[in-house]
Amino acid sequence: MEKRRTVPVKLNVDSADAALLEDTVDEFLWAANYVTRQAFDGEYVTTSKTTLHDDTYSEVRENTRLHSNHVQAARNKAADACKSVVEKWKQGKQASMPQFTSPHLVYDHRTATFHDEYVSLATVGGRIEADYVLPDKERDTPLAEYLFSDDYETTGAELHYTNGNWMLHIHTKTEVESDTPEQSTTENRTVLGVDLGVTNLAVASTGTFWTGDEFDHWRREYEQQRGDLQACGSRWAHENMQAVGRKEEGRFKLTLHRISNELVAEARDHGCSVIAFEDLTDIRERTGASWGHKWAFNRLYEYVEYKAAEHGIDVEQVDPENTSRRCSHCGFTHPNNRDSDSFACQKCEYENHTDYNAAKNIGLRYLRRNQTGGDEGAPVGVRLNSGTLNANGEYEPPAEESARAGVHAESSPL
């Protein structure tokens, strides 16, 4: 079985090399957007990479100084984005022509060479070398092992410029046996369900809430600042709008790093081997979230994914349909079960917070999707603050607590 991990590494880049990277990123984004425009320039949207290659490769090569593999990477990114739009149209959903603005650049083994202490990167002005910024103490962590261990193969990377830093997200993979002792044991094979939302950014099946109050406060503050600067319209205002954007992104990333750390700690404290999220594909349409919230949800998932990997915890996504309307106790699903933040089952009268009920349903959906009776490697329950829910939604207290108190499994559904 193939196991993939992504290692984000900060790079030490001097001013001259940074200028080359900036030029390369600009031309990469231009290429991706050019291909996208060509894909939409017709009666039908073109999603075939071969067709887009024939239609755009020569023009992009003539108008940029990009390495041929960067041209191909830009084409692939555009084709994938266009295909996603077409898929949404087929489902009756609204979607517009993609536009690439976030500073990033895709690398493979022909445009990047990975060494123990540094990386060599192709740019529009030739190769540059950038040292990894990684404290020595980090070399002993599981995360660093993905990068420095011979057990993992480096497959490529994606370069990002965020908050004034060049970050290289290095992709690695290894082959693991599907019947290893770690995977065949049932001990602590439990799932932490996580629901994402606007009022509460994240709610875990253990009953821990991470509110969105601070996120919403600062989002409104920064929107007001940008609005005031935009009304001014001067060059100074435009430059300050960019500075506000960088400050906003930096603040939100710190918040999301904190929440992701606490989510992983929650999973570890409760002996969970899996953290299950809802599928994020259409979360904005489902929750009424802003683009800022959607960015936050995706970034939080990415942070949890690579941080959980350090501790051998898998992170998965499940179908979100009706997770907020389904009763996590009896399974009855009805729109009237939910009234804003309150959940009250119309059948069994179970009551709780809507987001908490949804978090348990997300965990249960993963459990049912992966549990197959005799499979000893399957998760055994959705983790609550105390005890678990089995695949039938029945509450099971911790064995030691049940023994002391004489509690039966059906006595305390949470």
Side-chain angles (χ1 to χ4, degrees):
M1 182 178 69
E2 195 172 83
K3 182 178 180 181
R4 293 179 177 269
R5 293 292 182 260
T6 299
V7 186
V9 180
K10 182 179 177 181
L11 300 181
N12 183 11
V13 181
D14 63 31
S15 57
D17 289 343
L20 287 174
L21 288 177
E22 289 172 4
D23 290 343
T24 309
V25 167
D26 287 344
E27 295 197 11
F28 179 83
L29 295 179
W30 181 89
N33 286 319
Y34 176 81
V35 175
T36 301
R37 290 194 298 272
Q38 295 303 308
F40 273 72
D41 187 22
E43 186 177 355
Y44 302 100
V45 176
T46 303
T47 60
S48 167
K49 293 179 181 179
T50 301
T51 302
L52 288 174
H53 174 87
D54 294 339
D55 291 346
T56 64
Y57 182 80
S58 297
E59 288 81 358
V60 174
R61 288 286 279 169
E62 289 175 3
N63 288 278
T64 69
R65 296 166 291 166
L66 291 172
H67 188 285
S68 60
N69 290 94
H70 279 152
V71 175
Q72 295 173 29
R75 176 208 64 210
N76 291 343
K77 183 168 280 288
D80 290 340
C82 293
K83 184 176 181 180
S84 177
V85 168
V86 172
E87 288 298 323
K88 288 185 177 180
W89 288 348
K90 290 179 179 178
Q91 298 170 18
K93 300 173 182 176
Q94 293 186 341
S96 57
M97 184 178 74
Q99 185 174 6
F100 301 96
T101 58
S102 176
H104 70 284
L105 182 59
V106 177
Y107 280 95
D108 60 20
H109 275 295
R110 286 151 294 195
T111 49
T113 305
F114 303 91
H115 301 276
D116 288 342
E117 305 289 341
Y118 67 97
V119 63
S120 172
L121 301 172
T123 73
V124 292
R127 287 262 176 174
I128 68 166
E129 294 180 354
D131 292 335
Y132 302 136
V133 180
L134 193 65
D136 290 340
K137 63 180 180 180
E138 294 293 330
R139 291 182 175 276
D140 295 329
T141 66
L143 179 63
E145 287 181 8
Y146 305 138
L147 179 60
F148 298 116
S149 172
D150 293 335
D151 295 335
Y152 281 81
E153 172 191 355
T154 301
T155 60
E158 192 161 303
L159 183 71
H160 293 262
Y161 185 73
T162 57
N163 201 28
N165 295 312
W166 290 101
M167 299 293 299
L168 191 65
H169 293 230
I170 304 174
H171 307 311
T172 67
K173 70 175 183 178
T174 190
E175 293 292 331
V176 297
E177 296 293 334
S178 60
D179 58 350
T180 57
E182 289 81 0
Q183 292 172 316
S184 63
T185 181
T186 59
E187 183 180 2
N188 291 336
R189 291 289 297 174
T190 52
V191 183
L192 182 72
V194 179
D195 178 65
L196 301 177
V198 176
T199 303
N200 296 297
L201 283 181
V203 178
S205 58
T206 51
T208 301
F209 284 64
W210 288 269
T211 72
D213 293 346
E214 181 182 2
F215 183 90
D216 287 337
H217 167 74
W218 287 109
R219 184 171 60 85
R220 290 191 295 268
E221 286 289 319
Y222 287 123
E223 284 180 354
Q224 180 65 46
Q225 291 181 34
R226 280 195 296 270
D228 293 343
L229 291 168
Q230 190 171 17
C232 181
S234 66
R235 180 181 178 85
W236 171 88
H238 177 71
E239 292 174 349
N240 275 272
M241 281 178 62
Q242 294 178 321
V244 168
R246 289 192 295 270
K247 184 183 294 186
E248 178 183 29
E249 185 176 3
R251 179 182 290 275
F252 289 162
K253 282 184 177 180
L254 286 175
T255 300
L256 296 173
H257 271 298
R258 174 181 58 78
I259 296 175
S260 63
N261 287 335
E262 293 174 0
L263 263 170
V264 173
E266 188 83 0
R268 295 184 67 200
D269 290 345
H270 289 87
C272 298
S273 60
V274 178
I275 301 175
F277 287 82
E278 60 191 296
D279 191 312
L280 303 181
T281 303
D282 299 313
I283 193 169
R284 185 167 181 260
E285 290 80 358
R286 294 195 309 273
T287 64
S290 66
W291 282 111
H293 280 99
K294 186 177 187 300
W295 170 87
F297 297 150
N298 282 286
R299 188 55 60 94
L300 179 62
Y301 180 85
E302 292 173 2
Y303 288 167
V304 171
E305 186 176 34
Y306 82 74
K307 292 176 181 181
E310 298 182 33
H311 306 286
I313 300 173
D314 294 328
V315 180
E316 303 286 348
Q317 295 185 24
V318 301
D319 183 356
E321 185 177 7
N322 288 325
T323 51
S324 63
R325 298 176 176 181
R326 178 185 176 91
C327 177
S328 60
H329 179 46
C330 73
F332 179 69
T333 303
H334 195 280
N336 291 341
N337 283 350
R338 176 183 180 177
D339 182 13
S340 187
D341 291 340
S342 299
F343 183 91
C345 181
Q346 304 297 297
K347 182 178 180 181
C348 72
E349 300 183 348
Y350 167 77
E351 296 183 5
N352 218 310
H353 192 285
T354 296
D355 296 343
Y356 177 52
N357 178 72
K360 292 196 290 182
N361 278 325
I362 289 168
L364 285 169
R365 187 153 293 175
Y366 177 85
L367 187 69
R368 291 163 182 150
R369 187 183 75 183
N370 292 274
Q371 194 162 14
T372 55
D375 181 6
E376 293 184 349
V380 298
V382 177
R383 198 66 172 91
L384 307 179
N385 186 49
S386 177
T388 60
L389 287 179
N390 64 24
N392 297 320
E394 298 169 340
Y395 174 67
E396 297 182 353
E400 62 274 14
E401 293 181 11
S402 299
R404 287 196 302 268
V407 180
H408 294 289
E410 68 272 14
S411 64
S412 180
L414 297 183

